[in-house]
Amino acid sequence: MAMMLVLTAVLAMACQGAAKAECFVEPCFRKDAVVVHRNITYGEAYDPVLKRVEVLTLDVYLPPDSDTRPLRPAAVLVHGGSFVEGNSQSDSEPQLAYELVTRGYVAVSINCEALIASYSPTRPLRCPAHWPCRHHPPTDRLDGSIGLTSDIPGEDAGEDAKAAIRFVRSMNLTWRVDPAKVMIAGDSAGAVTALWVGYAMTDRPGHSGNPGFSDAVGAVVSVSGEMKSQAFCKTVTPTPLNCTLSDPSKDYVGNITGPPQPPLLMLHGTADLTVPYVNGLEVYTRAKDVGLPALMLTVPDAGHVPFDSLFYNATRLGQFMTFLADNFATNSTCAC
């Protein structure tokens, strides 16, 4: 009888362990059960060229009404586009939202201001006295026509993303978001934005909206991102050469200093000519060296933003979700 009780207890513990291992890793809901609301205003940003306030919007993806958990972890997703183009429904960010929400997260995919339309290499920025001109001096200019040639677009996108993070926390009662569990993810320019928010501009809240709420993040996800200015290269083998953008002075990897900074999850293709793989690897290596939980999912021979190699590779998607479950969604209530 005693042996039977011990065996029963061991089996129960094994079942509990298996259930916990799958929490936030395997889907709990069908994709068609996810609830989506689009074009929700989360903030404003002044356009100094158009001389008007631009409304910032996002799309929210929620678990179905059958999900009764009082608090859910959340993700803020930032699209790419070299700070020139893109929107909340581009770059497979909606598919990433569905992958997260079917596993129990709340996700928002945000629109940032079309930053390059707002700045000119020949015009100074002049904002009205009643509207702050973000954090940089009103005489700052872009030094080129591509967004990555200047820190300004990335920092301004970071301010918009921070406003979105604060907005998500402000909606914690309506969306049942756990204020202690908000992460940021992005691809390409959105990944640069996510890295800026997580590690390089933690002391600059910006003026895009929702003051009074924290804009700290519990994890950073970078898909084809970097923390230096080197991009659009002719070759990356064996090293990046003939890059349209290459400014050694703009290197912010050293801003990663270790805990309590957030864990880092990266996905990057080795044949990426837009943002060289070695630059993403340098960010990952730095995070590991300073003691942050970090995972680099390397995709051999893949180019820029290899989302397909994530969504349609069960092993890699499992690694991606397991890292988030173990390092971000810890102690959150399982959705199934």
Side-chain angles (χ1 to χ4, degrees):
M1 181 66 177
M3 182 64 72
M4 290 285 290
L5 289 173
V6 170
L7 181 59
T8 300
V10 169
L11 288 173
M13 291 174 63
C15 291
Q16 290 173 0
K20 183 174 178 56
E22 295 176 356
C23 186
F24 295 103
V25 176
E26 298 297 329
C28 296
F29 311 114
R30 299 191 319 272
K31 180 179 176 180
D32 61 6
V34 173
V35 179
V36 182
H37 300 288
R38 302 198 185 280
N39 299 317
I40 298 170
T41 298
Y42 73 86
E44 297 177 329
Y46 184 79
D47 188 314
V49 172
L50 299 178
K51 295 181 172 55
R52 69 186 185 198
V53 173
E54 296 293 312
V55 175
L56 304 172
T57 63
L58 58 77
D59 303 332
V60 63
Y61 298 74
L62 300 167
D65 293 340
S66 60
D67 179 28
T68 59
R69 291 173 297 157
L71 294 174
R72 290 90 66 97
V76 173
L77 312 181
V78 189
H79 63 81
S82 297
F83 306 108
V84 180
E85 57 188 3
N87 57 56
S88 61
Q89 298 184 55
S90 61
D91 296 353
S92 294
E93 292 298 344
Q95 186 165 352
L96 178 57
Y98 279 113
E99 295 289 352
L100 291 168
V101 176
T102 55
R103 288 164 171 80
Y105 296 88
V106 170
V108 299
S109 183
I110 73 171
N111 290 301
C112 295
E113 186 184 3
L115 295 168
I116 299 308
S118 301
Y119 305 120
S120 164
T122 60
R123 280 199 203 176
L125 307 181
R126 301 200 181 281
C127 299
H130 65 277
W131 193 277
C133 200
R134 298 193 185 265
H135 72 271
H136 42 73
T139 55
D140 271 353
R141 306 164 187 255
L142 280 187
D143 52 14
S145 59
I146 300 175
L148 297 178
T149 60
S150 169
D151 292 340
I152 296 173
E155 293 173 354
D156 287 359
E159 291 189 7
D160 293 348
K162 284 185 164 219
I165 293 164
R166 294 191 294 268
F167 180 78
V168 168
R169 284 196 168 97
S170 77
M171 296 293 289
N172 70 305
L173 295 179
T174 303
W175 293 344
R176 286 184 278 135
V177 167
D178 185 346
K181 299 287 183 181
V182 181
M183 71 176 192
I184 187 168
D187 71 274
S188 191
V192 173
T193 301
L195 292 167
W196 272 101
V197 169
Y199 306 111
M201 54 182 297
T202 54
D203 60 341
R204 297 199 295 271
H207 307 288
S208 297
N210 312 304
F213 295 91
S214 171
D215 50 38
V217 292
V220 173
V221 179
S222 166
V223 180
S224 301
E226 64 181 357
M227 294 188 73
K228 59 172 55 176
S229 181
Q230 186 180 53
F232 306 108
C233 304
K234 296 296 184 183
T235 181
V236 291
T237 305
T239 59
L241 293 173
N242 300 318
C243 304
T244 301
L245 305 179
S246 187
D247 185 348
S249 70
K250 295 187 170 96
D251 186 339
Y252 304 100
V253 176
N255 287 82
I256 303 176
T257 56
Q261 289 180 322
L264 173 65
L265 173 58
M266 303 191 77
L267 175 74
H268 216 127
T270 61
D272 190 343
L273 298 175
T274 304
V275 176
Y277 171 78
V278 293
N279 293 346
L281 183 62
E282 184 180 359
V283 174
Y284 162 75
T285 301
R286 171 71 179 184
K288 292 292 288 185
D289 287 348
V290 297
L292 290 179
L295 174 65
M296 167 68 90
L297 295 175
T298 298
V299 187
D301 302 319
H304 194 52
V305 188
F307 265 135
D308 284 353
S309 70
L310 175 69
F311 299 142
Y312 304 111
N313 183 303
T315 299
R316 194 172 287 124
L317 184 59
Q319 293 171 324
F320 184 97
M321 293 299 177
T322 297
F323 181 87
L324 292 178
D326 291 345
N327 296 281
F328 169 64
T330 49
N331 301 319
S332 295
T333 303
C334 294
C336 54

